Amino acid sequence: MPSRTATLSGFSTSLYSTSTFASPSVGIATASDDTTIQTIGKGPGGVATNTVFGYQALNSNTTGAGNIAIGYQVGQANTTGINNIFIGRCAGYSNTFGGSNNFFGRYAGCVNTTGGNNNFIGNVSGCSNTFGSFNNFFGILSGAKNTTGCYNNFLGNRAGFSNTTGNHNFFGGYTAGFNNTTGTNNNFF
């Protein structure tokens, strides 16, 4: 196998063409060729309380603290958002200063900008949310079209899928409340 060399915080590590680079060290790795190296450690902004692993993860961060970002372009636009957890390709991608969010899954909460205190778990869950807050979406595509709706609980794949601005809803089960767009104070099972 051809060997490659990468530098991490002044130390040299051998890489092989079929291996994935990983290290507990803090810093940004660079390579002498086109090898893709992940950001490892504090990430951009150098905030000591952030944990970052992934290409362009927390790429725009300036002062946002207490964040965990794992995956390709997760929290990419985050500048000052605090206490967020973004795990999965592009999870929380557009988050700028939304705080206390937990986004787990590919594109979960990907256009959230300022919404806070949200839990989106499942691929594409809450993906259209911009500043809706205090939402819990669990399941693939749950709350996918929610933009500004607040205090919603959608449990199940595609639950609350079409909800955009409806508030205080509880939808439990596969496709529960699927067609609700603006309705408020509903319970669908």
Side-chain angles (χ1 to χ4, degrees), residues 103-169:
F103 298 157
F104 296 90
R106 183 174 45 89
Y107 302 107
C110 67
V111 299
N112 186 76
T113 54
T114 60
N117 299 291
N118 292 302
N119 296 297
F120 300 156
I121 299 175
N123 290 345
V124 198
S125 63
C127 68
S128 297
N129 192 76
T130 53
F131 54 88
S133 296
F134 300 99
N135 293 302
N136 296 298
F137 301 157
F138 298 97
I140 296 169
L141 293 166
S142 59
K145 293 186 178 181
N146 190 77
T147 55
T148 61
C150 297
Y151 300 100
N152 292 301
N153 293 292
F154 301 155
L155 311 174
N157 290 349
R158 296 187 177 109
F161 177 86
S162 301
N163 190 79
T164 54
T165 60
N167 299 310
H168 300 279
N169 292 304

Side-chain angles (χ1 to χ4, degrees), residues 53-143:
F53 182 82
Y55 179 72
Q56 293 183 339
L58 289 185
N59 196 51
S60 301
N61 196 68
T62 55
T63 60
N67 296 299
I68 298 171
I70 301 172
Y72 178 83
Q73 293 184 328
V74 296
Q76 196 272 346
N78 192 77
T79 54
T80 59
I82 62 170
N83 301 321
N84 293 299
I85 300 174
F86 304 134
I87 299 176
R89 181 182 184 99
C90 297
Y93 178 89
S94 297
N95 192 79
T96 52
F97 54 88
S100 299
N101 291 302
N102 297 298
F103 298 157
F104 296 90
R106 183 174 45 89
Y107 302 107
C110 67
V111 299
N112 186 76
T113 54
T114 60
N117 299 291
N118 292 302
N119 296 297
F120 300 156
I121 299 175
N123 290 345
V124 198
S125 63
C127 68
S128 297
N129 192 76
T130 53
F131 54 88
S133 296
F134 300 99
N135 293 302
N136 296 298
F137 301 157
F138 298 97
I140 296 169
L141 293 166
S142 59

